């Protein structure tokens, strides 16, 4: 005899730091981080693009590292430090150097890819800053143009042709040095 | 997409969960990059995910060097492999394969265990590990570990020898031979886009030569050319005793023929079988150039 299951779905408590604020909520197991950020916390700067890990529009930082939020289970955000594009802007509303450089270089057209691009570039910045603290992982100086290009392989832009985005990142790294 | 999830925090809890769900529909989730894509396309009814990513166990998540070689926990990410200096210097094939996997964002979460257990013929890290003749540790709910050489780990297209009560716990690669002077080691991935793309074909090789330039150990594996990743044993044996720099045109072709004998490629959306064979032959020859 076939039993029909009428189980109600279990909710899971997740607590994490979102743009420097402690937050917690109860969610279903299958909720993606992208949907949690946009629909529950109503931060719409993180963009849903392909939903397949291809375009990078949904990039956020998890403990400082860039990750596709469309392929990340929200339950695994528990205990983590998450930064979205809204958290990149300083508390007085002024732009982060990554954002300033993107604006100054005319690297934004329709803007759909921009928050993902900015988070990815910030991720590379963090990688260079943090690698000195990790044994066996040493990175000196600033990333080369080729390293920037390689790093941005997971971010698609249909408008700019990439040159200005890479210029913006390169200039920012030189300036921040 | 709908499923339940269990989040074990220790290996003991993990094994208990695996035991409890033996008769149910369950799957492991590591970095979930493969697994979520699969579920988005083909949702599975009544599925429970056993989440591996909250297990706190250095042997499952970390990397350790020893005299015997290098041991990686199955949960080690592609990013950690790329960043590791030891791997970059001593096993370039593994560094290059991890670096060519998808994108920075995916490498942050994608694990070596996930790449192996997906058992895709185009798994980049898995192909590099096959050329290095890695050894797999399968941990069962009894707490016992069974060791399986990577050549016997893949049972077919997207199939491994893992039993339902086992997880892949760690992978070890043997140290380079003591008398090795030079290493010729690389991962060649041919695809329509450099990264972010399953390979059309790939070749991983790790060749060690002594102080006279004589090949003393050779490993070569092919990806996306057969239902599983394959170790080209006869091609590797053929190289032993030869001087790397003096390999003749005829010997290069003989080596490439031997590599090709392990391929049974298919025609699909990415390339025809004929194209795949020709590319594999040419990249096999090219490693001596
Ligand atoms: C956009 C995109 C691009 C990609 N590009 C590449 C590429 O260039 N090269 C490449 O090789 N792959 C690529 N992939 C595939 C995928 O990212 C890799 O195979 C990755 O290594 C999978 O690791 P994971 O931790 O995410 O695995 P998961 O998705 O978590 O798991 C994969 C499978 O393995 C099982 N599993 C995982 N860990 C264990 C364990 N320890 N024991 C038993 N079973 C386990 C899971 O149950 C599941 O069936 C790509 C994926 C995407 C979405
Ligand atoms: S929406 Fe996540 S990578 Fe495209
Ligand atoms: S500015 Fe339009 S997609 Fe990049």
């Amino acid at each position: 005899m076939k039993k029909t299951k009428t189980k109600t779905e279990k909710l899971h408590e997740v607590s994490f730091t979102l743009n420097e604020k402690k937050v917690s909520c109860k969610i279903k197991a299958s909720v993606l981080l992208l949907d949690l950020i946009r629909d529950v916390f109503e931060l719409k700067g993180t963009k849903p693009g392909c939903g397949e890990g291809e375009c990078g529009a949904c990039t956020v930082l998890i403990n400082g590292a860039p990750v596709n939020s469309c392929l990340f289970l929200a339950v695994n955000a528990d205990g983590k430090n998450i930064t979205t594009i809204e958290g990149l802007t300083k508390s007085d509303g002024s732009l982060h150097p990554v954002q300033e450089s993107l604006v100054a270089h005319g690297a934004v057209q329709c803007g759909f890819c921009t928050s993902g691009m900015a988070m990815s570039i910030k991720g590379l910045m963090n990688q260079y800053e943090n690698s000195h603290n990790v044994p066996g992982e040493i990175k000196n100086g600033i990333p080369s143009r080729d390293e920037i290009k390689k790093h941005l392989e997971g971010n698609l832009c249909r408008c700019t042709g990439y040159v200005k985005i890479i210029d913006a990142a390169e200039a920012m790294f030189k300036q921040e040095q | 997409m709908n499923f339940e999830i269990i989040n074990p925090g220790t290996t003991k809890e993990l094994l208990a969960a695996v035991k409890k769900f033996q008769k149910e529909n369950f799957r492991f989730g590591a970095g979930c990059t493969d697994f979520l894509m699969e579920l988005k396309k083909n949702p599975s009814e009544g599925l429970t995910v056993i989440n591996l990513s909250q297990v706190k166990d250095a042997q499952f998540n970390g990397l350790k060097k020893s005299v015997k070689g290098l041991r990686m926990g199955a949960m080690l990410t592609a990013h950690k492999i790329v960043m590791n200096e030891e791997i970059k210097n001593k096993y370039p094939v593994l560094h290059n394969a991890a670096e060519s996997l998808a994108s920075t964002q995916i490498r942050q979460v994608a694990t070596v265990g996930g790449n192996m257990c997906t058992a895709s013929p185009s798994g980049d890290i898995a192909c590099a590990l096959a050329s290095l003749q890695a050894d797999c540790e399968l941990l069962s709910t009894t707490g016992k570990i069974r060791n399986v050489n990577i050549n016997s780990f893949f049972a077919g297209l997207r199939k491994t020898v893992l039993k339902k009560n086992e997880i892949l716990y760690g992978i070890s690669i043997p140290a380079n031979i003591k008398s090795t002077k030079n290493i010729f080691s690389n991962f060649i991935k041919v695809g329509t886009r450099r990264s972010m793309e399953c390979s059309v074909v790939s070749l991983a090789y790790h060749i060690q030569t002594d102080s006279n330039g004589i090949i003393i150990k050779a490993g070569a594996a092919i990806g996306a050319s057969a239902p599983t990743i394959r170790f080209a044993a006869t091609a590797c044996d053929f190289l032993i005793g030869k001087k790397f720099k003096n390999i003749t045109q005829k010997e290069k072709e003989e080596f490439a023929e031997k590599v090709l004998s392990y391929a049974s490629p298919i025609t699909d959306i990415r390339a025809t079988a004929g194209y795949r064979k020709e590319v594999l032959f040419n990249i096999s020859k090219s490693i001596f150039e």
Side-chain angles (χ1 to χ4, degrees), chain A residues 34 47-58 68-71 154:
Chain A
L34 173 66
K47 299 297 176 201
C50 63
E52 301 190 349
E54 290 277 351
C55 75
C58 65
N68 297 128
S69 61
C70 72
L71 283 184

Side-chain angles (χ1 to χ4, degrees), chain B residues 236-253:
Chain B
C236 298
D237 292 344
F238 173 73
L239 294 180
I240 305 296
K242 295 193 169 53
K243 199 163 180 159
F244 190 91
K245 296 278 181 210
N246 289 354
I247 290 192
T248 63
Q249 191 59 28
K250 195 164 157 283
E251 285 169 333
K252 285 178 197 170
E253 281 171 17

Side-chain angles (χ1 to χ4, degrees), chain A residues 6-11, chain B residues 4:
Chain A
T6 46
K7 263 203 320 200
T8 46
E9 263 184 284
K10 208 179 137 197
L11 293 180
Chain B
E4 239 329 300

Side-chain angles (χ1 to χ4, degrees), chain A:
Chain A
M1 206 175 59
K2 221 174 153 188
K3 268 196 220 161
T4 44
K5 284 190 188 166
T6 46
K7 263 203 320 200
T8 46
E9 263 184 284
K10 208 179 137 197
L11 293 180
H12 300 262
E13 168 117 28
V14 282
S15 302
F16 56 100
T17 308
L18 179 61
N19 298 333
E20 295 180 356
K21 270 202 244 60
K22 291 229 179 295
V23 295
S24 56
C25 56
K26 286 194 166 155
I27 52 166
K28 289 201 300 188
S30 54
V31 171
L32 298 168
L33 181 60
L34 173 66
D35 299 325
L36 182 70
I37 290 169
R38 288 181 54 89
D39 302 341
V40 177
F41 294 102
E42 298 192 332
L43 297 171
K44 307 284 188 184
T46 305
K47 299 297 176 201
C50 63
E52 301 190 349
E54 290 277 351
C55 75
C58 65
T59 304
V60 299
L61 301 179
I62 301 185
N63 293 346
V67 169
N68 297 128
S69 61
C70 72
L71 283 184
F72 195 88
L73 288 179
V75 288
N76 282 334
D78 195 57
K80 305 258 164 49
N81 192 349
I82 293 178
T83 314
T84 68
I85 188 73
E86 291 85 353
L88 207 57
T89 315
K90 290 178 203 138
S91 50
D92 64 0
S94 61
L95 297 180
H96 185 275
V98 175
Q99 295 168 302
E100 271 174 358
S101 192
L102 286 167
V103 173
H105 284 81
V108 182
Q109 286 186 25
C110 81
F112 195 82
C113 71
T114 310
S115 48
M117 288 285 181
M119 297 319 281
S120 262
I121 299 168
K122 175 70 168 103
L124 184 59
M125 206 172 164
N126 292 344
Q127 188 180 310
Y128 267 78
E129 281 165 8
N130 298 340
S131 69
H132 295 276
N133 306 324
V134 186
E137 291 182 9
I138 309 292
K139 285 208 173 281
N140 285 312
I142 56 167
S144 66
R145 193 168 174 93
D146 279 348
E147 275 175 284
I148 295 169
K149 275 193 198 164
K150 168 88 189 146
H151 183 83
L152 293 179
E153 267 172 348
N155 290 85
L156 297 184
C157 173
R158 302 307 304 268
C159 306
T160 65
Y162 302 100
V163 175
K164 292 183 173 182
I165 296 172
I166 295 160
D167 287 348
E170 202 180 16
M172 189 273 302
F173 281 114
K174 284 194 180 136
Q175 204 184 340
E176 290 289 303
Q177 197 179 11

Side-chain angles (χ1 to χ4, degrees), chain B:
Chain B
M1 199 174 63
N2 228 338
F3 50 80
E4 239 329 300
I5 200 159
I6 310 248
N7 301 309
T10 63
T11 304
K12 203 171 154 201
E13 284 172 21
L14 167 63
L15 295 182
V18 180
K19 199 166 175 184
K20 186 173 159 208
F21 279 86
Q22 280 304 294
K23 293 213 170 69
E24 316 260 331
N25 176 16
F26 80 88
R27 286 280 297 273
F28 296 114
C32 297
T33 59
D34 249 332
F35 159 72
L36 281 176
M37 282 308 302
E38 200 188 312
L39 272 193
K40 280 185 183 188
K41 282 180 192 140
N42 303 308
S44 164
E45 201 53 44
L47 178 71
T48 298
V49 175
I50 300 185
N51 188 2
L52 302 178
S53 60
Q54 294 182 15
V55 176
K56 286 179 197 65
D57 174 354
Q59 289 203 61
F60 195 35
N61 304 316
L63 184 141
K64 203 167 181 210
K65 209 171 87 173
S66 77
V67 278
K68 284 200 260 164
L70 200 75
R71 184 192 175 280
M72 297 175 283
M75 291 300 288
L76 192 74
T77 62
H79 177 76
K80 290 246 167 72
I81 293 177
V82 174
M83 295 296 285
N84 187 272
E85 289 284 317
E86 171 90 1
I87 292 178
K88 192 174 176 183
N89 296 334
K90 297 210 170 131
Y91 313 97
V93 61
L94 180 57
H95 171 89
N96 296 345
E99 198 175 36
S100 76
L101 185 144
S103 61
T104 317
Q105 289 95 323
I106 290 187
R107 287 193 290 275
Q108 294 292 342
V109 290
T111 63
V112 53
N115 201 258
M116 294 278 297
C117 296
T118 287
S120 155
S122 49
D124 291 336
I125 297 178
C127 189
L129 289 171
S131 77
L132 291 165
Q133 286 292 281
D135 189 64
C136 310
E137 287 166 31
L138 318 188
L139 176 63
S140 93
T141 46
T142 60
K144 287 219 177 72
I145 285 183
R146 163 165 89 101
N147 288 78
V148 174
N149 183 273
I150 190 162
N151 283 341
S152 321
F153 183 75
F154 302 112
L157 183 66
R158 299 202 166 270
K159 286 201 185 79
T160 70
V161 298
L162 276 168
K163 299 200 184 105
K164 205 175 173 187
N165 71 339
E166 287 176 327
I167 57 159
L168 177 64
Y169 189 55
I171 300 135
S172 298
I173 43 185
N176 292 324
I177 295 179
K178 270 211 180 89
S179 55
T180 291
K181 187 85 200 318
N182 277 311
I183 300 167
F184 301 88
S185 175
N186 194 8
F187 181 70
I188 305 176
K189 176 171 173 175
V190 181
T192 42
R193 264 163 79 189
R194 207 146 49 89
S195 246
M196 296 302 287
E197 174 71 284
C198 284
S199 7
V200 165
V201 290
S202 57
L203 173 72
Y205 63 91
H206 188 74
I207 299 171
Q208 302 173 48
T209 59
D210 66 10
S211 53
N212 298 315
I214 306 286
I215 298 171
I216 47 176
K217 194 169 178 194
I222 55 173
S225 317
T228 65
I229 285 160
R230 301 198 70 188
F231 182 73
T234 57
C236 298
D237 292 344
F238 173 73
L239 294 180
I240 305 296
K242 295 193 169 53
K243 199 163 180 159
F244 190 91
K245 296 278 181 210
N246 289 354
I247 290 192
T248 63
Q249 191 59 28
K250 195 164 157 283
E251 285 169 333
K252 285 178 197 170
E253 281 171 17
E254 203 171 333
F255 170 76
E257 279 300 343
K258 287 188 194 300
V259 172
L260 209 56
S261 71
Y262 289 87
S264 51
I266 53 162
T267 294
D268 67 8
I269 193 165
R270 285 191 280 271
T272 63
Y275 175 75
R276 287 194 156 98
K277 280 192 171 168
E278 199 160 327
V279 172
L280 187 58
F281 185 81
N282 288 331
I283 58 177
S284 301
K285 267 194 333 185
S286 78
I287 70 176
F288 306 101
E289 275 144 23

